[in-house]
PDB file of all heavy atoms in Angstrom:
ATOM      1  N   ALA A  15      16.014 -10.330 -11.138  1.00  0.00           N
ATOM      2  CA  ALA A  15      15.379  -9.999  -9.848  1.00  0.00           C
ATOM      3  C   ALA A  15      14.487  -8.775  -9.986  1.00  0.00           C
ATOM      4  O   ALA A  15      13.387  -8.730  -9.433  1.00  0.00           O
ATOM      5  CB  ALA A  15      16.444  -9.765  -8.775  1.00  0.00           C
ATOM      6  N   ASN A  19      10.577  -8.632  -9.291  1.00  0.00           N
ATOM      7  CA  ASN A  19      10.040  -7.680  -8.323  1.00  0.00           C
ATOM      8  C   ASN A  19       9.012  -6.761  -8.964  1.00  0.00           C
ATOM      9  O   ASN A  19       8.044  -6.380  -8.323  1.00  0.00           O
ATOM     10  CB  ASN A  19      11.160  -6.865  -7.683  1.00  0.00           C
ATOM     11  CG  ASN A  19      12.007  -7.710  -6.747  1.00  0.00           C
ATOM     12  OD1 ASN A  19      11.577  -8.755  -6.296  1.00  0.00           O
ATOM     13  ND2 ASN A  19      13.211  -7.279  -6.498  1.00  0.00           N
ATOM     14  N   LEU A 140      15.624   6.963  -7.843  1.00  0.00           N
ATOM     15  CA  LEU A 140      14.206   6.660  -7.813  1.00  0.00           C
ATOM     16  C   LEU A 140      13.425   7.918  -8.134  1.00  0.00           C
ATOM     17  O   LEU A 140      13.782   9.005  -7.711  1.00  0.00           O
ATOM     18  CB  LEU A 140      13.806   6.126  -6.432  1.00  0.00           C
ATOM     19  CG  LEU A 140      14.457   4.812  -6.040  1.00  0.00           C
ATOM     20  CD1 LEU A 140      14.053   4.436  -4.631  1.00  0.00           C
ATOM     21  CD2 LEU A 140      14.068   3.711  -7.009  1.00  0.00           C
ATOM     22  N   ILE A 143       6.140   8.222  -9.603  1.00  0.00           N
ATOM     23  CA  ILE A 143       5.210   8.173 -10.724  1.00  0.00           C
ATOM     24  C   ILE A 143       3.808   8.115 -10.123  1.00  0.00           C
ATOM     25  O   ILE A 143       3.563   7.354  -9.191  1.00  0.00           O
ATOM     26  CB  ILE A 143       5.439   6.913 -11.581  1.00  0.00           C
ATOM     27  CG1 ILE A 143       6.840   6.913 -12.165  1.00  0.00           C
ATOM     28  CG2 ILE A 143       4.397   6.807 -12.681  1.00  0.00           C
ATOM     29  CD1 ILE A 143       7.188   5.634 -12.884  1.00  0.00           C
ATOM     30  N   PHE A 149       1.283   6.559  -5.649  1.00  0.00           N
ATOM     31  CA  PHE A 149       2.672   6.893  -5.916  1.00  0.00           C
ATOM     32  C   PHE A 149       3.494   5.615  -5.944  1.00  0.00           C
ATOM     33  O   PHE A 149       3.425   4.787  -5.057  1.00  0.00           O
ATOM     34  CB  PHE A 149       3.219   7.825  -4.834  1.00  0.00           C
ATOM     35  CG  PHE A 149       2.678   9.206  -4.944  1.00  0.00           C
ATOM     36  CD1 PHE A 149       1.535   9.576  -4.254  1.00  0.00           C
ATOM     37  CD2 PHE A 149       3.288  10.147  -5.764  1.00  0.00           C
ATOM     38  CE1 PHE A 149       1.014  10.844  -4.359  1.00  0.00           C
ATOM     39  CE2 PHE A 149       2.779  11.426  -5.876  1.00  0.00           C
ATOM     40  CZ  PHE A 149       1.640  11.774  -5.172  1.00  0.00           C
TER      41      PHE A 149
END
Side-chain angles (χ1 to χ4, degrees):
N19 290 340
L140 296 176
I143 299 173
F149 287 92

